[in-house]
Amino acid sequence: MFNLFKFLRLSAAEVLDGDWRYYAWMSGLALLSLAGLNAYSVQLVHGLGTTGMSDHVSWGLYIANFTFLVGMAAAAVMMVIPVYVYHDEPLHDVVIFGELLAIASIVMCILFVSVDLGRPERVWHMAPPPLGKFNWPDSMLSWDVIVLNGYLFINAYVAGYLLYMKFLRKEPLKILYIPFVLLSIVWAVSIHTVTAFLYQGLAARPFWHSSIIAPRFLASAFTAGPAFIILTLQLIRKFTAYRIADAAMLRLRNVVQVAIAINLFLFASELFKELYIPDEHAVHMQYLMFGLHGHNGLVPWIWTALAIEAVAIALLMLPASRSMKWLNLACVFAVVGVWIEKGMGFIIPAFIPNPLGEIVEYLPTLNETLICVGVWAFGFFIYTAILKAAVPILTGRLRLGGVPYTAEAGMEPGGIPKPDFGAGFRPQGARWVDPGPPGR
Amino acid sequence: MKNFSRKQFLKTAAGAALVMATRVFSTPLHAADKFFREPPWKRKKPYWGFAVDITKCIGCGRCADACKTENEVPREAFYFRTWVERYIIRRNGEVNVDSPNGGMDPFLPPHDPETVTKSFFVPKLCGHCENSPCEQVCPVGATFKTEDGVVLVDRKYCIGCRYCIQACPYGCRYFHPVLHVADKCTLCYHRIKKGLNTACVEVCPTGARMFGDLSDPKSAITKFYETETTNVLKASMGTEPKLLYKGLDKEVR
């Protein structure tokens, strides 16, 4: 118990410590989060009328971001499966970054749903009985509450347990985490499936009422998630001592390659079904792709998404993206493309035209955008903080019993050359240094 | 036990599990529910229903106005529990629909009147569906159906997630700008409980709107349901609204 306390204390100290770039980054994120909080207080006082949403388009950017982030959370499974089912070597050391991304993503998901509520002070009504009144199993939203919180718990537990064991310099007990890892595979698929069913189950919105939505969500999640993790890994190896082989990036590149191809294929399939024999339900797709009766607010969005996704898939399929520079570009395009496709390209067109045939377009307001930026900044803040503590534990620098490297050894245990801390981290401060025996 | 192989055991176990799962899950699910029961108005008294005779509606919009007054619906032009639409069908097949302030403002004469083949008014309101999707999707059970067949929202419990607004195929729900909860037609529940008519029926000058007890075989509404040629909106959705229209045109959504 004392060790756990020490683990938390040293991790917290690690989060609070960094060079000027780290402080600048975190301060910037904190400022943006506070700006978002301020915007949210405006919304709290004046209601959802401060957003661009209306009775015609009654879900907007909040729910769009929520949907996208559920996918980012689910994407951790694309590293868990290779590592724990197929014992993939290159990904073994980085799988935990996927799990940590899942934690940060779910936190953002919960925030995005919360800011979307008209009566946030009643959010406890969604808690299981006897506290709340849970319309389970009827409402897909109540399922979503269960699976998202469950997924948050599973990932926090697995990642926390593995990091703690690493900190204690002990072998993790398989029985204590492998069952949860296997559960997390099923659970990851379930969170995005349930989120898809949330939309798919509404006969009133023909644009969503399509059996292909759940597979599409999974394909787009497995495009954007691993692409985002590639970008994260690039930053981790640039700014920290943690060694990540190119092989890990290339393995994730394979995942993105396949997923983006499936994603575009499923989108094309949907497009064909809607436009080849356009029935009365095809108006939403027509509005999205070409505009309807002179209204074409979403047309630039969807074509941008498709264009950059096309560039991304071309880059990913070409050998060029074996070089990290092109791979990074492809990943940025894939993430942004999917974000547009799942937000402005999926949530909004379902409302336009509305069930009565009226066309009311949607554009987020400044206040609404600020709240979104704030939530994203807070998510990045959390993710950076978790990584800041996790990386030194993984390199073995932060651990029970002191700091493993010494000036004379110049080496990390295991013969890894001593990292250059000048790049991103100050060398160990004097606060908890206890030189102890070098190495294990 | 001698002939009971492992394969058979597994088969039996799987079968039993399937039966149990079906039992457990089918009870609360709406879709499964409706196959096991007769219409509720055969069992429950009273059970309210509504009907509209489109051929009688003159588009005066007094129903929309009375509803807003009776139920303190916000006066802005987007919030309606009931409203009147005007359909104008032209010779070339073009359909124009308008509803100036829900029908409370005067309908202006159509442009190019010589191209108009027919025009009619369609009053709309919540159908208090038997399989109401809004009730199904509410995560906290704030939307519920009363014993006498009225779909209501508990304003003190609704969290304002607006999932029900997406689920309603008829656009009958709106987000209350002051209370920040979902709101809709209550069938004037506070009035009908006292034996009064709903406000909209009360003020309708032509008797185009009808309201009554479906469980009473002698009531006018039962007679209307049983003898008139009627239709419901978006029947393919399977929501089974208790809002029947007489004279419903194919162009009405």
Side-chain angles (χ1 to χ4, degrees):
Chain A
M1 204 59 213
F2 177 72
N3 282 344
L4 182 63
F5 183 68
K6 198 165 181 186
F7 167 72
L8 294 174
R9 185 170 63 83
L10 292 186
S11 306
E14 187 66 40
V15 171
L16 294 173
D17 191 28
D19 68 354
W20 67 271
R21 279 178 298 186
Y22 175 70
Y23 283 128
W25 167 246
M26 295 301 262
S27 311
L29 291 177
L31 275 178
L32 287 176
S33 305
L34 288 175
L37 191 64
N38 182 52
Y40 181 62
S41 61
V42 172
Q43 180 187 304
L44 209 52
V45 173
H46 299 288
L48 287 162
T50 54
T51 68
M53 289 184 268
S54 56
D55 272 315
H56 310 280
V57 183
S58 52
W59 276 349
L61 216 50
Y62 299 148
I63 296 297
N65 278 303
F66 159 77
T67 310
F68 175 77
L69 284 163
V70 173
M72 297 288 272
V77 76
M78 281 291 109
M79 306 170 80
V80 171
I81 290 177
V83 170
Y84 289 101
V85 180
Y86 297 108
H87 305 287
D88 182 84
E89 264 311 305
L91 286 180
H92 185 266
D93 295 333
V94 296
V95 62
I96 195 153
F97 296 120
E99 288 159 349
L100 297 176
L101 175 65
I103 295 174
S105 301
I106 297 279
V107 170
M108 284 190 266
C109 286
I110 292 172
L111 283 176
F112 269 120
V113 174
S114 304
V115 298
D116 189 63
L117 292 181
R119 297 302 292 250
E121 79 279 12
R122 294 179 182 170
V123 71
W124 58 271
H125 291 180
M126 280 217 258
L131 192 61
K133 201 162 78 183
F134 214 27
N135 190 15
W136 187 85
D138 265 20
S139 171
M140 278 297 128
L141 210 51
S142 66
W143 280 85
D144 224 13
V145 171
I146 296 173
V147 293
L148 287 178
N149 285 299
Y151 194 63
L152 178 62
F153 168 77
I154 293 172
N155 277 287
Y157 169 73
V158 170
Y161 176 73
L162 291 178
L163 285 173
Y164 184 49
M165 285 298 123
K166 183 91 181 163
F167 175 78
L168 294 181
R169 296 194 258 176
K170 281 187 190 160
E171 270 300 305
L173 273 178
K174 285 206 161 161
I175 186 75
L176 282 181
Y177 76 101
I178 291 292
F180 288 92
V181 168
L182 298 179
L183 182 64
S184 83
I185 294 176
V186 186
W187 210 286
V189 176
S190 87
I191 61 168
H192 221 20
T193 307
V194 168
T195 306
F197 284 2
L198 197 85
Y199 304 109
Q200 209 167 314
L202 296 179
R205 307 285 171 179
F207 188 72
W208 291 341
H209 191 52
S210 152
S211 49
I212 212 172
I213 300 304
R216 252 185 87 189
F217 270 19
L218 287 170
S220 59
F222 298 156
T223 305
F228 187 85
I229 291 170
I230 290 177
L231 296 171
T232 312
L233 295 181
Q234 302 278 27
L235 291 174
I236 287 173
R237 68 176 181 178
K238 184 166 168 16
F239 287 114
T240 78
Y242 201 61
R243 296 279 176 279
I244 297 165
D246 275 1
M249 310 286 186
L250 295 176
R251 187 57 50 88
L252 284 173
R253 170 177 171 262
N254 288 350
V255 173
V256 184
Q257 262 178 343
V258 176
I260 196 171
I262 297 177
N263 184 41
L264 287 173
F265 171 73
L266 291 180
F267 185 76
S269 166
E270 182 98 67
L271 210 56
F272 174 80
K273 174 241 170 190
E274 295 278 11
L275 298 181
Y276 182 64
I277 301 184
D279 61 4
E280 63 176 282
H281 292 160
V283 283
H284 304 281
M285 190 59 100
Q286 286 165 355
Y287 170 73
L288 174 66
M289 301 302 293
F290 313 110
L292 205 62
H293 306 307
H295 300 274
N296 44 20
L298 294 181
V299 176
W301 289 92
I302 192 65
W303 287 103
T304 309
L306 289 179
I308 64 178
E309 276 188 72
V311 175
I313 195 175
L315 279 175
L316 284 164
M317 294 299 174
L318 291 172
S321 58
R322 282 179 199 282
S323 94
M324 292 300 134
K325 197 174 61 183
W326 290 110
L327 181 61
N328 291 346
L329 185 70
C331 287
V332 170
F333 279 179
V335 172
V336 177
V338 167
W339 181 79
I340 298 175
E341 189 198 314
K342 272 173 129 163
M344 290 310 232
F346 178 76
I347 303 298
I348 314 299
F351 301 111
I352 308 171
N354 75 2
L356 302 173
E358 298 166 276
I359 298 181
V360 178
E361 298 201 284
Y362 165 80
L363 201 68
T365 58
L366 177 66
N367 203 63
E368 191 179 3
T369 314
L370 271 177
I371 294 175
C372 292
V373 171
V375 173
W376 273 101
F378 186 71
F380 273 109
F381 189 93
I382 289 183
Y383 192 39
T384 315
I386 303 177
L387 290 179
K388 183 69 170 55
V391 167
I393 293 173
L394 291 170
T395 57
R397 182 166 62 80
L398 181 64
R399 61 192 208 175
L400 195 68
V403 183
Y405 71 85
T406 55
E408 54 275 22
M411 301 282 268
E412 289 273 33
I416 304 166
K418 186 184 143 193
D420 174 20
F421 286 105
F425 292 105
R426 249 193 295 147
Q428 199 60 65
R431 271 169 298 157
W432 61 81
V433 170
D434 167 19
R440 230 185 245 218
Chain B
M1 284 302 285
K2 59 182 175 185
N3 291 327
F4 206 63
S5 68
R6 186 164 63 176
K7 196 172 171 185
Q8 277 171 320
F9 171 73
L10 287 174
K11 266 187 187 168
T12 318
L18 190 70
V19 170
M20 278 173 69
T22 320
R23 279 288 174 80
V24 168
F25 283 104
S26 68
T27 328
L29 286 179
H30 281 244
D33 206 17
K34 69 174 177 188
F35 293 111
F36 298 122
R37 62 181 191 194
E38 51 183 355
W41 51 85
K42 303 269 188 217
R43 293 183 277 118
K44 294 173 184 164
K45 268 178 194 300
Y47 208 78
W48 306 112
F50 207 97
V52 171
D53 187 344
I54 289 175
T55 58
K56 283 186 184 170
C57 181
I58 55 171
C60 64
R62 288 181 64 190
C63 46
D65 193 36
C67 173
K68 285 208 173 195
T69 310
E70 175 69 29
N71 296 300
E72 296 177 342
V73 177
R75 299 304 294 195
E76 288 95 332
F78 346 97
Y79 310 112
F80 296 101
R81 291 184 180 187
T82 185
W83 68 99
V84 182
E85 293 171 1
R86 176 177 64 173
Y87 280 70
I88 297 171
I89 319 285
R90 294 179 191 275
R91 199 160 288 130
N92 62 1
E94 193 187 318
V95 183
N96 305 135
V97 189
D98 63 345
S99 179
N101 194 13
M104 286 154 63
D105 291 351
F107 288 95
L108 299 176
H111 64 91
D112 303 337
E114 64 281 358
T115 63
V116 176
T117 56
K118 62 180 168 183
S119 179
F120 48 86
F121 299 101
V122 182
K124 292 210 175 152
L125 69 155
C126 170
H128 299 273
C129 308
E130 272 311 293
N131 302 315
S132 56
C134 55
E135 181 199 354
Q136 182 181 20
V137 302
C138 177
V140 297
T143 290
F144 61 99
K145 186 140 85 266
T146 62
E147 278 291 293
D148 40 4
V150 182
V151 178
L152 296 176
V153 185
D154 184 346
R155 318 179 139 180
K156 294 213 169 72
Y157 211 76
C158 171
I159 57 171
C161 71
R162 309 190 298 300
Y163 196 17
C164 54
I165 300 179
Q166 338 290 2
C168 177
Y170 307 106
C172 287
R173 286 175 165 252
Y174 64 91
F175 193 61
H176 199 290
V178 180
L179 300 170
H180 303 167
V181 295
D183 200 41
K184 66 181 281 297
C185 164
T186 60
L187 216 59
C188 284
Y189 203 64
H190 57 293
R191 290 174 59 90
I192 62 176
K193 272 297 196 191
K194 291 179 182 159
L196 298 168
N197 254 332
T198 66
C200 54
V201 171
E202 196 72 41
V203 300
C204 181
T206 61
R209 286 171 169 256
M210 227 177 296
F211 158 81
D213 182 2
L214 293 174
S215 67
D216 175 4
K218 292 200 183 71
S219 71
I221 192 93
T222 308
K223 196 161 177 248
F224 187 91
Y225 269 50
E226 283 173 351
T227 57
E228 295 289 350
T229 315
T230 56
N231 207 342
V232 296
L233 290 172
K234 301 189 185 182
S236 66
M237 298 266 172
T239 51
E240 297 183 25
K242 293 191 293 291
L243 166 59
L244 262 52
Y245 285 99
K246 180 185 173 187
L248 191 66
D249 193 83
K250 73 178 173 68
E251 296 295 347
V252 179
R253 297 275 177 273

